[in-house]
Amino acid sequence: MMVEDIFQIKNQFIFNRFKDAILIETANRLVDYANTSFCTLFKIKFTPEELIGTDCKQGSIVSSFLFKNPSKFLNRIEEIIENGKVVQQEEIAFRDGTILIRDYIPIFIQNKIQGHLWMYKVAEKEHAESNPIQQQLQVLHQAIESINIPIAIVDIHNCYVFINKSFVSNTDKRAYLLGKTDAQFAAYYNLPTNRAVLHEQYVTKAIASKQTQLFEEIITIKQQKTIWYKTIVQPLIGNNNEVDAVLKYCIDITETKHQEQILQETIEQYVYALQQVNDAVLLTNPELKVLFTNASLFKTFTNTSSQKVDNELFKLISLTNYEFYKQVFTVLSGAEESAEGIIELIQQTGTKKWLKYHVAKGLKNPQNPLGIVAVLNDITDKVQLEENLLEVVKREKELNELKSAFVNMVSHELRTPLAVISSGAEIIQMMLQMGKSTNDIEPYTQQIITEVERMTTFMNDLLMISKIEAGKIDFNPSSTDVFSFIQQLANQSYLPWKDGRSLAIQAKGAAKNVSLDEKMIRHILQNLIDNAFKYSVQQPAPYVRIRYSHSYVTISVIDEGIGIHEEDLQKLFASFSRGRNVSDIAGTGMGLVVVKYFTEQHKGKILVKSKLGKGSIFSVKIPY
Amino acid sequence: MAATHHSILVVEDEPMLLQNISSILEMMGYFVLKATNGNEGFETANTHLPELIICDVMMDGMNGFELLEKIKQQPKLANIPFVFLSARADINDKQMGINGGANAYLTKPFQVKELLSTVQKFIQ
């Protein structure tokens, strides 16, 4: 054994018995010797033997974070070494409030610096107790140590300078972590790095922004217990407005999270139940923005489960339905607790929909106030059924009235000419008995002829109407040259008519073929032309004017006859309507009903212009 | 035959029939007052106070039932016998006419002797 070794062992043996922390550095600041107390005081993980030969400068940087003012601690060391003078009983404060007493002796051999001897000891308790602030700090320190909230402080390099028991319960791990980063800790203990990365990210953010950061994390302890933490990362800003360190503490929100989860599940259950309901349910905020809708709503509006309707939906309903809009605002303003009504919607397809709605004011929740709750129930089927039923009843009633009116009319239209015929015949008989002349009798025989003609026309019209009603008249259009068709008709019956007058035909505009049912158009024209001749006896002959326009042809029958009374014009196309000035002219009042019906089959229109005593113009407009 | 100066008012909107009824009654020696609608009939009745009124039912403007009602409201006309001559042959129409105060309800077509016997019943 070398003499030096013996000296070394002696040194250890002796120095390790000192309670004070002792560090001897070589001139170039490598550890020459440290005792156990030193390692303990400065929370160094290595044994004194392991420390020998390590860089003191580095070591002091690591240890500096234990001090209240790390940079001051480091600067003072430099200063002391520079001065090369003994320092005695100098006080320095740990971050945790512990006061250390430092002594320093430079080691000179032959006037040359050979090394540095440092001695540290914890100041006497009396010293701490004598200072009330110190005392308070002590209590506070204990409280922070034992509180059940993980608390730690890291420096601006993300190295831990303070960790309480709750943050890391294992003493060894805790000791190791001091002066280290999360990443180093994770690497050393072979832990997943994601939490370390997360923490470091938020610390960096807090330092950069000088703003407190918040985030949530889940920690699984011993692979059993899961804890939800809300972690707060708060920069500690010093007098120079720089971030000195960063405080991290974690608040256990596991219970809240569990409650939230239960609440969420409950809400999901309710939402699921609401989705099963056939009625459409709608929730809005006070600005009427849609917050919730169920699937039925989309089915109601679009027949799909697509969610496109969304906000627009409300606009759709409210804009097209003033009453609903009004009710919603009545409820929203608190004027009414709830309101009900029926919305009539015309869908894009053109079909109508009826929705019964119930609007109520939303819950009074200050955090998330609801506007309205609306429940919409599609009652289209019901409404349509009711409407159909009403329609059937109405039609039935109308039909009954029509039937009885029809029977009355038929009865009147047959009985009146029969009365004329029978009374006329009896008058003739009486006149013959009285020996009257043929001239006296002639008006009564003429009456009989006219009335028989009237009854015949009436029977023909009646037959035509009954055919139409039975749907036995088919509409069979074909492309027709209107001019030559009317020319042909004129040749058959009106060149000349039975009183010797002849029909003229005019045409204006570029001739076009028109899709016509010849059977119907013949009936229309014969009826109108016959009327024109019938009601214009002793006047110039009527004429037909064909006018080809852009999208329709107009066929007008024009006469200079007796004209139609203004009041009669209005009911001209109603069944059995006859003018007040035509009773001595054979007619039934049914002809124009058929004319109108046939014109409508062509999607056409019939128009009349007439002046009493001047004549009439009947125009049939038929689109190409 | 009937007395010469008995006057009968005929209200009928079908001119040919009005002419025929009038001819028959005139041939029988009655004095005939003619009207072609209800209003005209009411005015003629008021001015000439006929001994009998023969009236159609279905007419534009005031119909026969309405004319009857109006006449019954006039004390000086209320007692004039009133006969309907109508194309409405329905039993309900007849009942309505009688209920309204008509003395007889004849239907069209009619026979001359039926008309005359009714007239004679109310004009001695």
Side-chain angles (χ1 to χ4, degrees):
Chain A
M1 191 177 280
M2 305 264 303
V3 180
E4 283 177 27
D5 290 340
I6 295 164
F7 180 72
Q8 192 83 36
I9 292 162
K10 257 192 215 161
N11 276 354
Q12 279 181 17
F13 185 73
I14 296 160
F15 288 138
N16 280 347
R17 296 196 162 214
F18 282 110
K19 260 174 80 181
D20 293 359
I22 296 172
L23 170 71
I24 304 172
E25 294 179 9
T26 62
N28 51 0
R29 299 212 62 195
L30 297 174
V31 175
D32 191 44
Y33 172 77
N35 69 350
T36 317
S37 297
F38 181 81
C39 292
T40 311
L41 185 64
F42 288 98
K43 298 182 167 50
I44 295 164
K45 271 292 289 175
F46 305 104
T47 62
E49 290 75 23
E50 286 170 327
L51 274 183
I52 292 169
T54 58
D55 187 350
C56 291
K57 255 189 176 168
Q58 284 294 320
S60 60
I61 290 170
V62 173
S63 300
S64 69
F65 299 113
L66 290 172
F67 291 90
K68 203 171 190 173
N69 190 334
S71 55
K72 189 179 165 193
F73 166 74
L74 292 172
N75 291 341
R76 180 65 185 146
I77 289 173
E78 295 296 321
E79 202 180 82
I80 292 171
I81 289 171
E82 180 95 28
N83 289 345
K85 287 178 182 164
V86 173
V87 175
Q88 281 185 315
Q89 303 284 306
E90 189 177 67
E91 283 191 5
I92 36 171
F94 264 174
R95 193 181 280 280
D96 66 6
T98 312
I99 303 295
L100 298 187
I101 308 291
R102 174 165 59 193
D103 289 284
Y104 167 77
I105 305 167
I107 304 168
F108 288 99
I109 297 177
Q110 294 168 350
N111 276 340
K112 209 177 160 199
I113 191 90
Q114 289 295 323
H116 314 276
L117 170 63
W118 302 89
M119 284 170 288
Y120 293 89
K121 64 176 181 187
V122 176
E124 292 300 317
K125 247 197 172 160
E126 290 83 358
H127 182 84
E129 280 165 359
S130 64
N131 182 346
I133 296 172
Q134 206 64 41
Q135 215 173 333
Q136 253 183 358
L137 285 173
Q138 201 78 33
V139 174
L140 189 67
H141 181 250
Q142 273 174 7
I144 291 173
E145 264 296 290
S146 54
I147 197 167
N148 196 20
I149 297 172
I151 300 172
I153 297 167
V154 294
D155 65 25
I156 54 166
H157 305 292
N158 228 323
C159 296
Y160 283 88
V161 292
F162 174 79
I163 303 159
N164 77 349
K165 267 184 200 156
S166 183
F167 200 88
V168 176
S169 57
N170 181 301
T171 318
D172 287 344
K173 284 183 180 174
R174 221 174 132 197
Y176 173 79
L177 186 54
L178 277 173
K180 309 274 183 340
T181 63
D182 281 306
Q184 286 170 325
F185 183 79
Y188 189 79
Y189 284 102
N190 206 14
L191 296 168
T193 55
N194 46 358
R195 195 183 177 207
V197 171
L198 191 72
H199 272 243
E200 286 181 5
Q201 268 175 5
Y202 279 98
V203 167
T204 310
K205 247 194 234 176
I207 292 167
S209 63
K210 293 186 186 171
Q211 303 273 333
T212 301
Q213 307 291 317
L214 288 177
F215 64 97
E216 286 183 5
E217 53 183 340
I218 312 168
I219 315 292
T220 307
I221 294 172
K222 289 169 189 163
Q223 294 171 345
Q224 289 170 4
K225 197 180 160 196
T226 302
I227 302 173
W228 277 91
Y229 279 129
K230 176 178 267 184
T231 301
I232 294 131
V233 181
Q234 184 183 340
L236 300 171
I237 297 166
N239 293 334
N240 53 358
N241 200 28
E242 288 298 316
V243 178
D244 281 345
V246 178
L247 171 70
K248 298 201 283 188
Y249 55 101
C250 309
I251 295 168
D252 187 343
I253 52 164
T254 312
E255 189 54 34
T256 316
K257 280 281 162 191
H258 278 307
Q259 295 291 351
E260 267 178 27
Q261 210 171 341
I262 290 165
L263 193 68
Q264 189 59 36
E265 280 167 10
T266 313
I267 289 171
E268 276 168 19
Q269 294 280 352
Y270 290 154
V271 168
Y272 178 78
L274 270 176
Q275 298 292 10
Q276 307 310 307
V277 172
N278 265 336
D279 294 352
V281 180
L282 184 81
L283 302 183
T284 77
N285 71 2
E287 283 77 45
L288 295 180
K289 189 176 183 290
V290 176
L291 301 176
F292 171 82
T293 54
N294 67 353
S296 292
L297 190 95
F298 302 108
K299 275 188 218 143
T300 303
F301 281 92
T302 60
N303 290 326
T304 64
S305 57
S306 142
Q307 310 250 325
K308 274 182 194 168
V309 218
D310 202 40
N311 277 347
E312 297 306 313
L313 166 87
F314 205 78
K315 282 189 198 161
L316 189 80
I317 311 172
S318 50
L319 287 182
T320 56
N321 230 285
Y322 176 69
E323 192 54 35
F324 177 67
Y325 195 66
K326 218 173 79 184
Q327 297 271 44
V328 164
F329 276 96
T330 311
V331 172
L332 202 61
S333 69
E336 296 283 347
E337 272 298 302
S338 65
E340 281 182 350
I342 290 172
I343 300 173
E344 208 177 306
L345 275 188
I346 298 169
Q347 293 180 299
Q348 283 178 338
T349 52
T351 52
K352 266 193 183 179
K353 221 165 213 197
W354 286 266
L355 304 174
K356 189 176 170 191
Y357 65 82
H358 176 91
V359 182
K361 191 150 172 56
L363 288 175
K364 280 178 196 154
N365 175 353
Q367 261 85 53
N368 194 13
L370 275 180
I372 57 142
V373 180
V375 181
L376 301 157
N377 181 358
D378 189 344
I379 53 162
T380 307
D381 288 349
K382 209 177 130 197
V383 169
Q384 275 172 350
L385 201 70
E386 268 173 25
E387 282 197 347
N388 287 347
L389 211 65
L390 278 175
E391 188 62 29
V392 167
V393 170
K394 199 178 142 204
R395 272 191 68 121
E396 193 69 23
K397 208 179 147 201
E398 274 176 1
L399 212 64
N400 274 334
E401 281 171 5
L402 209 69
K403 261 186 195 165
S404 107
F406 183 75
V407 168
N408 273 336
M409 285 298 173
V410 169
S411 161
H412 183 264
E413 288 306 312
L414 293 176
R415 284 174 185 275
T416 305
L418 277 176
V420 175
I421 292 166
S422 105
S423 59
E426 285 201 70
I427 289 169
I428 291 168
Q429 212 170 32
M430 285 157 79
M431 283 181 158
L432 287 174
Q433 283 168 6
M434 289 158 80
K436 297 263 183 182
S437 70
T438 321
N439 276 354
D440 290 332
I441 293 169
E442 211 273 350
Y444 298 100
T445 53
Q446 188 53 51
Q447 266 187 9
I448 293 171
I449 294 167
T450 308
E451 289 304 276
V452 168
E453 201 177 298
R454 176 175 163 182
M455 286 175 75
T456 310
T457 316
F458 177 74
M459 294 308 293
N460 286 340
D461 286 344
L462 209 58
L463 208 64
M464 181 62 87
I465 285 185
S466 80
K467 268 189 188 170
I468 291 171
E469 301 238 311
K472 283 185 182 164
I473 307 256
D474 293 331
F475 178 58
N476 285 320
S478 61
S479 181
T480 309
D481 175 348
V482 180
F483 186 84
S484 47
F485 180 78
I486 297 174
Q487 188 71 56
Q488 210 181 349
L489 188 71
N491 286 337
Q492 287 163 5
S493 317
Y494 306 105
L495 294 173
W497 197 54
K498 46 194 176 187
D499 67 357
R501 292 180 297 159
S502 290
L503 186 78
I505 306 166
Q506 296 176 0
K508 285 184 178 178
K512 258 190 198 177
N513 274 16
V514 190
S515 181
L516 297 175
D517 180 312
E518 292 195 1
K519 180 173 81 262
M520 289 186 185
I521 217 79
R522 176 174 287 113
H523 187 96
I524 292 170
L525 291 172
Q526 270 178 347
N527 201 297
L528 295 179
I529 297 168
D530 282 348
N531 282 347
F533 274 106
K534 254 175 15 185
Y535 299 123
S536 68
V537 178
Q538 307 290 318
Q539 299 296 330
Y543 65 99
V544 174
R545 187 178 63 204
I546 305 160
R547 186 173 275 167
Y548 298 97
S549 306
H550 178 66
S551 52
Y552 51 84
V553 65
T554 311
I555 306 166
S556 305
V557 178
I558 302 156
D559 70 63
E560 291 176 38
I562 59 172
I564 303 162
H565 200 278
E566 213 179 306
E567 283 174 35
D568 293 337
L569 271 176
Q570 327 227 332
K571 47 183 184 174
L572 204 58
F573 296 99
S575 295
F576 314 112
S577 163
R578 293 202 73 206
R580 58 199 65 200
N581 54 346
V582 299
S583 48
D584 52 348
I585 302 169
T588 60
M590 284 202 295
L592 288 179
V593 178
V594 179
V595 166
K596 185 170 185 243
Y597 176 81
F598 282 173
T599 308
E600 281 166 357
Q601 291 296 297
H602 289 81
K603 305 223 180 313
K605 272 185 186 166
I606 181 152
L607 307 164
V608 194
K609 269 193 203 165
S610 186
K611 218 166 194 181
L612 211 57
K614 298 261 172 159
S616 308
I617 304 173
F618 281 78
S619 299
V620 177
K621 269 180 154 186
I622 294 172
Y624 296 128
Chain B
M1 276 287 128
T4 328
H5 299 296
H6 289 305
S7 62
I8 299 173
L9 169 62
V10 181
V11 189
E12 170 62 61
D13 69 343
E14 172 67 50
M16 276 189 268
L17 199 55
L18 179 60
Q19 189 196 325
N20 290 6
I21 297 165
S22 305
S23 300
I24 293 163
L25 293 175
E26 279 163 1
M27 278 192 270
M28 289 301 122
Y30 294 103
F31 177 68
V32 180
L33 299 160
K34 296 177 199 167
T36 55
N37 58 56
N39 283 320
E40 212 181 300
F42 182 69
E43 272 171 35
T44 313
N46 242 331
T47 28
H48 295 94
L49 298 174
E51 284 168 62
L52 176 70
I53 299 171
I54 296 172
C55 184
D56 188 14
V57 171
M58 286 193 278
M59 292 180 292
D60 275 343
M62 191 194 295
N63 68 30
F65 294 135
E66 287 161 351
L67 176 62
L68 173 61
E69 198 187 331
K70 228 174 152 186
I71 280 179
K72 289 291 168 201
Q73 283 166 3
Q74 279 305 85
K76 63 172 181 177
L77 305 178
N79 291 324
I80 300 172
F82 196 103
V83 175
F84 274 122
L85 178 60
S86 172
R88 291 177 73 148
D90 189 71
I91 181 168
N92 291 328
D93 292 322
K94 280 187 188 171
Q95 193 56 49
M96 208 168 134
I98 301 302
N99 287 352
N103 301 80
Y105 193 106
L106 303 177
T107 57
K108 296 174 187 173
F110 59 92
Q111 287 193 320
V112 172
K113 63 175 176 191
E114 184 192 5
L115 176 71
L116 291 178
S117 69
T118 308
V119 170
Q120 280 155 12
K121 204 162 125 192
F122 298 110
I123 299 176
Q124 306 310 311

